[in-house]
């Protein structure tokens, strides 16, 4: 999905919600456990209940890889079930030397080879240019670079002082030389609200993937106040706050209700900023 198509979907659906598909088998409702693939069944019902309220889905690969071959099958089947009008993001946070990154890129972008052709992947910038460019060889695919994460541990490295700033700012400045805002997004945690104005100085046009609202306590209002652009420029993710809204038979309706609350707040923010 291109940048203009993404913006079109945001305006059409009046939302910039990304739903995180992080299915922990210990937490999914017990009544689904008789299905051949309970995780897939869980994801399908969440997707069916929310697809008009979001513009992106983000399976986190850890929740699938942890289950070995069965998890990989759930991930491929979930990928195949994702609606075509939503951006598909694999949250894999990969980063390695060039020839290894080539293999990761093939795993998540080359549908013919692996069964998965996600639109976007999260990548760690720590190993630099040659670890990121293999993903950019895939025309039309997005690379989402970890810039300032929502985690408390972001202080350990991301705020280290550099000449004239902090490491996370240097990451954005350097990565901007690798690709344009049509191909590059940055992860910025919703818990870092005081940094959004500053980040917009370095990344005025890039979409920001923003995890950390809901379960991690970040404020959607603040993210919009300091981070929204004329094209919206935000994909705000919620995972546990939506998918585990209930663990009963009504889990999909409860997920829809939580997603609807966020969509309505997002619509108000889009109107306030005159994006729509
Ligand atoms: O800085 C980051 C980067 C990625 N994540 C991921 O986003 C979701 C958040 O889940 P919630 O349940 O809404 O807290 C999850 O997949 C994380 O691995 C992040 O939280 N922070």
């Amino acid at each position: 999905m291109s940048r203009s198509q993404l913006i079109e979907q945001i305006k059409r659906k009046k939302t910039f919600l990304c739903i995180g598909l992080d299915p922990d088998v210990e937490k999914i409702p017990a009544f689904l456990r008789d299905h051949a693939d309970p995780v897939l069944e869980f994801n399908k019902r969440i997707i069916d209940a929310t697809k008009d309220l979001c513009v992106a889905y983000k399976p986190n690969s850890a929740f699938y890889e942890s289950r070995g071959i069965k998890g990989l099958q759930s991930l491929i089947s979930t990928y195949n079930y994702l609606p075509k009008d939503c951006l598909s993001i694999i949250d894999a946070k990969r980063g390695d030397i060039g020839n290894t990154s080539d293999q990761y890129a093939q795993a998540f972008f080359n549908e013919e080879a692996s069964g998965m052709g996600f639109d976007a992947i999260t990548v760690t910038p720590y190993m630099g240019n040659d670890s990121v460019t293999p993903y950019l060889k895939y025309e039309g695919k997005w690379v989402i670079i970890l810039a300032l994460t929502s985690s408390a541990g972001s202080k350990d490295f991301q705020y280290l002082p550099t000449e004239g700033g902090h490491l996370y700012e240097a990451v954005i400045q350097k990565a901007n030389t690798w690709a344009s805002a049509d191909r590059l997004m940055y992860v910025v945690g919703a818990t870092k609200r005081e940094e959004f104005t500053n980040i917009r100085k370095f990344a005025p046009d890039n979409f920001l993937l923003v995890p950390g609202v809901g379960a991690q306590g970040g404020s959607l209002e603040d993210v919009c106040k300091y981070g929204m652009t004329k094209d919206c420029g935000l994909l705000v993710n919620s995972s546990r706050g939506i998918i585990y809204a209930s663990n009963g038979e009504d889990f999909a309706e409860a997920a829809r209700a939580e997603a609807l609350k966020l969509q309505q707040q997002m619509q108000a923010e889009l109107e306030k900023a005159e994006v729509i």
Side-chain angles (χ1 to χ4, degrees):
M1 180 184 286
S2 68
R3 179 187 169 89
S4 60
Q5 287 166 334
L6 177 60
I7 295 167
E8 195 183 304
Q9 290 303 334
I10 289 170
K11 290 182 177 175
R12 185 177 73 79
K13 291 175 141 181
K14 302 179 174 38
T15 178
F16 45 98
L17 178 61
C18 171
I19 297 184
L21 297 173
D22 299 0
D24 179 339
V25 275
E26 300 300 319
K27 288 191 185 158
I28 69 175
F31 80 96
L32 291 178
R33 293 198 186 129
D34 293 340
H35 283 271
D37 184 342
V39 164
L40 174 62
E41 193 58 32
F42 177 76
N43 284 348
K44 279 165 99 172
R45 294 185 192 202
I46 294 281
I47 293 166
D48 289 344
T50 57
K51 61 187 173 197
D52 58 321
L53 303 173
C54 66
V55 289
Y57 286 98
K58 181 179 77 63
N60 186 316
S61 61
F63 290 83
Y64 303 85
E65 288 174 46
S66 59
R67 294 173 43 243
I69 186 73
K70 283 188 180 163
L72 191 55
Q73 279 160 352
S74 302
L75 182 59
I76 293 173
S77 306
T78 298
Y79 162 73
N80 281 313
Y81 199 74
L82 292 174
K84 294 289 168 254
D85 66 353
C86 288
L87 188 81
S88 57
I89 302 170
I90 183 71
D91 192 355
K93 300 186 185 69
R94 297 299 141 116
D96 210 320
I97 60 170
N99 67 317
T100 307
S101 287
D102 276 332
Q103 298 297 315
Y104 282 137
Q106 174 165 318
F108 293 114
F109 282 167
N110 185 338
E111 189 162 4
E112 217 174 294
S114 69
M116 293 180 283
F118 285 95
D119 294 317
I121 185 169
T122 57
V123 170
T124 138
Y126 196 64
M127 290 178 71
N129 176 33
D130 47 326
S131 71
V132 174
T133 45
Y135 303 95
L136 292 166
K137 287 184 206 153
Y138 287 78
E139 277 294 308
K141 304 284 187 188
W142 292 87
V143 174
I144 309 179
I145 295 195
L146 298 183
L148 187 57
T149 58
S150 63
S151 50
S154 61
K155 291 193 178 61
D156 290 342
F157 302 119
Q158 295 163 26
Y159 286 98
L160 285 179
T162 59
E163 220 175 281
H166 299 103
L167 185 57
Y168 77 86
E169 293 157 335
V171 163
I172 296 173
Q173 284 173 296
K174 177 55 90 177
N176 277 342
T177 67
W178 302 335
S180 77
D182 288 346
R183 304 286 308 282
L184 267 192
M185 298 189 195
Y186 294 104
V187 170
V188 180
T191 50
K192 299 295 187 303
R193 67 176 194 146
E194 63 283 5
E195 309 294 349
F196 274 85
T197 309
N198 186 39
I199 282 170
R200 278 298 178 208
K201 288 186 204 148
F202 302 103
D205 298 323
N206 299 83
F207 265 83
L208 304 179
L209 173 62
V210 184
V213 299
Q216 296 180 54
S219 150
L220 175 62
E221 201 183 341
D222 286 343
V223 168
C224 295
K225 187 166 169 191
Y226 302 113
M228 191 172 274
T229 67
K230 65 173 180 24
D231 292 328
C232 179
L234 297 169
L235 290 174
V236 172
N237 179 83
S238 175
S239 307
R240 288 167 291 179
I242 292 177
I243 66 175
Y244 303 133
S246 158
N247 65 357
E249 299 221 353
D250 64 342
F251 79 94
E253 288 89 350
R256 181 174 176 79
E258 288 305 314
L260 184 61
K261 274 189 226 159
L262 285 169
Q263 183 277 324
Q264 286 170 344
Q265 287 171 32
M266 288 178 178
Q267 181 171 347
E269 295 292 346
L270 288 168
E271 284 166 358
K272 197 170 20 163
E274 297 182 0
V275 177
I276 54 173

